[in-house]
Amino acid sequence: MQRVPRILTIAGSDSGGGAGIQADLKTITALGGFGMSAVTALTAQNTLGVWGIFEVSPEFVGAQIDAVAQDIGIDAAKTGMLANRAIVETVADRVRQHAIRPLVVDPVMVAKSGHPLMAPDAGAALRELLLPLATVVTPNLSEAQELCGMPVRTVSEMAEAARRIRQLGPEWVLVKGGHLSGEPVDVLSDGTDCREVRRPRVQTGNTHGTGCTYAAAIATGLGAGMSVPEAVEWARDAVQAALEGALSLGRGAGPLDHAAMWPCRLRRSADGA
């Protein structure tokens, strides 16, 4: 019997389909995992922006996680939009209760359109409660700056930010440098080893959901048994393929083509190895 990695995404819904739960489930499926979800918020969203947010009760977020963990099981999980402190507290509680590992924390604070997706007190809760439980945390430049309290504008500053964020408790920190000028570079650090992950820049404005896709791909790799560096490199290849096939949909920043990640799909043997 073939074994498929069971990957849980704990995040917000994007009605436009390009980011959030929708991007995560497309990514997990395209890469050969089995995707499950705990929805933290509903957003009225498209390529132009976020037009409304309806937050799910913390109790129901917890119930969704319980339902999945107690029956299907979880080989890895990732978090995305966690709108308020109570939701962060609930997620951290369930991660501990169900011993959910590996855990990828994507500290989603602001949508690509600039709309805030996290209350101020939720950011503090994420630092205090969730980062110490994380296998990998994946901030972009602005999120890294918020987490470490220093400007993050260069590769050397990314490395220092990763070192500081590592002191908050996660095992690994991946600072994403897609917003830098020139060739995009990400910095991955476990506090001792620091490596750069580089790919050629894809000339497209259709990048909606890139961060969600990257984190979900990393979680899928970890759920399949990869090491963190292996999962990050593999996930970055998948994101590169999705960016190269990015779709011109809508009047704003269009989505990635998650189907283009298929060549990176996990290979399964008949015995599940």
Side-chain angles (χ1 to χ4, degrees):
M1 184 165 139
Q2 294 186 341
R3 178 188 176 278
V4 57
R6 303 160 297 178
I7 313 300
L8 173 66
T9 169
I10 307 168
S13 167
D14 172 6
S15 58
I21 288 283
Q22 286 82 350
D24 293 343
L25 293 177
K26 291 173 187 178
T27 298
I28 295 163
T29 300
L31 293 177
F34 178 74
M36 306 166 290
S37 64
V39 179
T40 60
L42 308 177
T43 71
Q45 187 173 170
N46 56 26
T47 66
L48 297 173
V50 179
W51 308 101
I53 296 175
F54 180 85
E55 297 174 4
V56 176
S57 73
E59 294 77 15
F60 196 70
V61 172
Q64 294 173 79
I65 299 171
D66 291 341
V68 170
Q70 292 167 0
D71 176 33
I72 301 169
I74 302 166
D75 293 312
K78 61 90 60 175
T79 66
M81 177 185 178
L82 305 175
N84 57 53
R85 184 179 184 94
I87 290 177
V88 175
E89 291 172 345
T90 296
V91 171
D93 174 73
R94 293 311 198 277
V95 168
R96 290 190 298 267
Q97 179 180 328
H98 298 296
I100 298 173
R101 302 283 295 173
L103 176 68
V104 179
V105 174
D106 186 13
V108 176
M109 297 177 179
V110 178
K112 189 173 294 291
S113 61
H115 193 289
L117 298 176
M118 175 178 278
D121 62 343
L126 185 139
R127 281 191 293 270
E128 298 162 11
L129 302 175
L130 205 54
L131 290 195
L133 303 175
T135 307
V136 193
V137 59
T138 62
N140 60 26
L141 296 182
S142 61
E143 291 160 350
Q145 182 169 307
E146 179 69 23
L147 289 172
C148 73
M150 61 168 274
V152 185
R153 300 159 300 195
T154 65
V155 174
S156 61
E157 288 175 347
M158 290 168 67
E160 175 61 19
R163 186 189 68 80
R164 294 191 186 189
I165 296 169
R166 172 67 177 77
Q167 293 175 344
L168 297 175
E171 293 180 22
W172 291 81
V173 180
L174 177 69
V175 180
K176 300 174 295 189
H179 294 109
L180 292 175
S181 60
E183 182 183 65
V185 55
D186 306 326
V187 172
L188 177 66
S189 176
D190 63 355
T192 302
D193 178 45
C194 190
R195 64 185 70 195
E196 296 178 3
V197 180
R198 293 180 179 269
R199 297 293 186 279
R201 182 171 296 281
V202 178
Q203 298 300 327
T204 178
N206 299 317
T207 58
H208 183 53
T210 303
C212 304
T213 298
Y214 201 173
I218 294 170
T220 304
L222 294 176
M226 297 181 192
S227 68
V228 170
E230 288 172 337
V232 167
E233 292 283 356
W234 177 74
R236 187 62 186 84
D237 284 340
V239 170
Q240 189 77 1
L243 282 167
E244 289 172 354
L247 303 170
S248 295
L249 298 174
R251 291 176 288 139
L256 311 186
D257 181 4
H258 296 91
M261 298 190 291
W262 187 267
C264 298
R265 186 178 175 83
L266 295 166
R267 295 181 180 178
R268 303 180 202 152
S269 62
D271 62 1

